[in-house]
Amino acid sequence: MRFEYRIRPRRVGLILGAVALLLAAQSLLTEYLTENVLDATVNATLISTLDLFSVNAEDTIPTWYSTLLLFGASVLLASITLAKRAGRDKFSLHWLGLTTIFVYLSMDEGAVIHELAGSYLGETVEFGGYLTFAWLLVAVPLVIVLGIAYVRFILHLPPRTRALFVLAGLTYVGGAVLIEAISANQYDLAGVNFGYLAIATVEELCEMLGIVLFIYALLSVAGSLGYAAAYTVVDAAEDASADTPTRFSRFSEHRTIWLAAGLVVAANMVLVFFAVGQVPTAQQVLNATAAQRAGSILYALAPSEVQVTRMVGLFEPNNITARRMTALLLELYDEVMVVSLMSAGQSFALAGETLPFDSRGVTDVLHENGEIQFLIFDTPAVQMITGSMDAENR
């Protein structure tokens, strides 16, 4: 039995482009919530989850999609290269070169290879402004050289294919180089904020749309080759006149698209309401900031042989979880000191065979760093509070 799937370049391009637009819009929404609504000290877990939808972070869904687009383009280029070499086309080496370039671009998108060059240049010479991302110094000359090398190749293409190739190249390079330079300047001026992330999102969208245009052009080229393959490419004219049967028994394709769009909109409305509900109060932000600052102080105070453990809530007789934790530490270490930070609502246990400081030394360090509301329990006090728990259990 022969399986045949009819590929329509226009439909493929529209679907891939719509997914790119959706991912960019989703990223813009999550970046806004991350930068302007949520607090990094209180909503760290939620922010890490939202980062999965960011086009500006690595190891995310949009990055995976861009990698797939580039790899898909390289597969199409490889099949066209085989056809051109079989027909002894004089530009077959140019097609092979494009295949190699897109294989590398797909690896670079997933592994961020270009940032290695940027890091090396940044360590050698300090750049700023539009060249804050130093890898642009490598990218721009390469683009110029490749452009010159492919002038004859572009000119020999049919007019429609040539226009699509040029438009795809300008869209991709415009995002990867020009808009990247604008975002680099914004980053140099203000660091990571919503303005920078919005510009970077436009950059990533241009890159994705450039690849989508290129894939559409490659599918059209593949349809004109007459090269035997496991798929059949339908030309635009045939696609318009074809009587395509309904693929779904209950919903038409258009209804399915609208249903998917409605679900995405509804999911994002729920996300916005949920995120707004997670906005911390001023007191929660102060507590989290105080806990983070005090934790940094204590971690810096304790040498490597001292175990620093953060507790949930304050260490007190009513906090069963904290008492159990200190009981376990007392079984493992000879000395356990607990510092309760009243302003942060958090306690830290310092445990070791012998603590190289006493409560007075910890008090002095905390005072020097602006902490005034705290309680310190030395080892006997910790043993007494923890022992009362043991008595209660008996």
Side-chain angles (χ1 to χ4, degrees), residues 10 67 113 225 272 274 292 300 320:
R10 182 173 178 272
T67 304
I113 300 172
L225 293 178
V272 170
F274 177 75
Q292 190 176 44
I320 304 300

Side-chain angles (χ1 to χ4, degrees), residues 48-121:
S48 297
T49 303
L50 292 179
D51 280 344
L52 289 174
F53 300 95
S54 173
V55 299
N56 300 306
E58 307 304 330
D59 302 325
T60 66
I61 294 172
T63 300
W64 168 77
Y65 182 68
S66 295
T67 304
L68 287 182
L69 286 178
L70 288 163
F71 183 73
S74 70
V75 171
L76 287 171
L77 284 166
S79 65
I80 294 172
T81 300
L82 291 173
K84 294 293 184 180
R85 288 180 65 83
R88 298 185 182 279
D89 188 282
K90 65 178 181 179
F91 289 101
S92 60
L93 286 179
H94 289 78
W95 287 103
L96 179 60
L98 284 175
T99 303
T100 304
I101 290 170
F102 273 81
V103 168
Y104 166 76
L105 288 176
S106 68
M107 291 191 299
D108 181 82
E109 187 69 24
V112 202
I113 300 172
H114 66 274
E115 288 193 358
L116 295 176
S119 299
Y120 176 77
L121 290 173

Side-chain angles (χ1 to χ4, degrees), residues 374-385:
F374 56 86
L375 291 174
I376 297 178
F377 301 86
D378 57 14
T379 302
V382 173
Q383 289 173 335
M384 182 179 66
I385 294 176

Side-chain angles (χ1 to χ4, degrees), residues 145-381:
V145 170
L146 288 174
I148 294 173
Y150 273 82
V151 169
R152 289 180 62 249
F153 170 80
I154 294 295
L155 292 177
H156 101 283
L157 295 171
R160 183 172 179 275
T161 304
R162 182 193 312 138
L164 287 173
F165 272 40
V166 171
L167 180 60
L170 290 177
T171 304
Y172 184 85
V173 174
V177 176
L178 295 181
I179 301 181
E180 174 88 348
I182 296 173
S183 68
N185 184 61
Q186 177 67 23
Y187 177 82
D188 187 44
L189 293 174
V192 177
N193 57 18
F194 181 68
Y196 159 73
L197 293 172
I199 297 172
T201 299
V202 174
E203 169 220 328
E204 296 293 338
L205 175 61
C206 286
E207 291 183 16
M208 287 191 286
L209 291 180
I211 305 166
V212 169
L213 280 170
F214 192 54
I215 288 175
Y216 170 67
L218 292 176
L219 287 173
S220 300
V221 170
S224 66
L225 293 178
Y227 181 66
Y231 57 82
T232 301
V233 177
V234 180
D235 292 332
E238 183 181 351
D239 184 36
S241 62
D243 184 15
T244 305
T246 303
R247 290 180 177 272
F248 305 102
S249 58
R250 190 171 180 181
F251 297 105
S252 68
E253 292 184 7
H254 288 90
R255 287 181 178 177
T256 303
I257 292 172
W258 281 111
L259 176 62
L263 290 174
V264 170
V265 172
N268 277 287
M269 290 178 65
V270 172
L271 172 63
V272 170
F273 283 116
F274 177 75
V276 171
Q278 298 300 308
V279 175
T281 64
Q283 187 60 47
Q284 287 177 316
V285 174
L286 288 174
N287 289 349
T289 303
Q292 190 176 44
R293 182 180 65 250
S296 299
I297 296 170
L298 295 175
Y299 278 109
L301 171 68
S304 58
E305 65 270 13
V306 174
Q307 174 74 32
V308 181
T309 305
R310 181 172 176 172
M311 299 180 178
V312 178
L314 294 171
F315 177 67
E316 55 187 2
N318 293 331
N319 191 337
I320 304 300
T321 302
R323 290 166 62 187
R324 286 175 177 169
M325 180 181 292
T326 53
L328 177 61
L329 290 173
L330 284 169
E331 293 178 2
L332 299 174
Y333 300 97
D334 292 336
E335 295 188 12
V336 177
M337 177 184 295
V338 175
V339 180
S340 292
L341 303 160
M342 315 309 293
S343 60
Q346 295 283 332
S347 294
F348 292 83
L350 308 173
E353 298 304 324
T354 301
L355 295 179
F357 41 73
D358 56 15
S359 59
R360 181 178 294 276
V362 176
T363 299
D364 292 340
V365 171
L366 291 173
H367 281 161
E368 290 171 2
N369 287 273
E371 294 293 334
I372 56 175
Q373 297 182 8
F374 56 86
L375 291 174
I376 297 178
F377 301 86
D378 57 14
T379 302

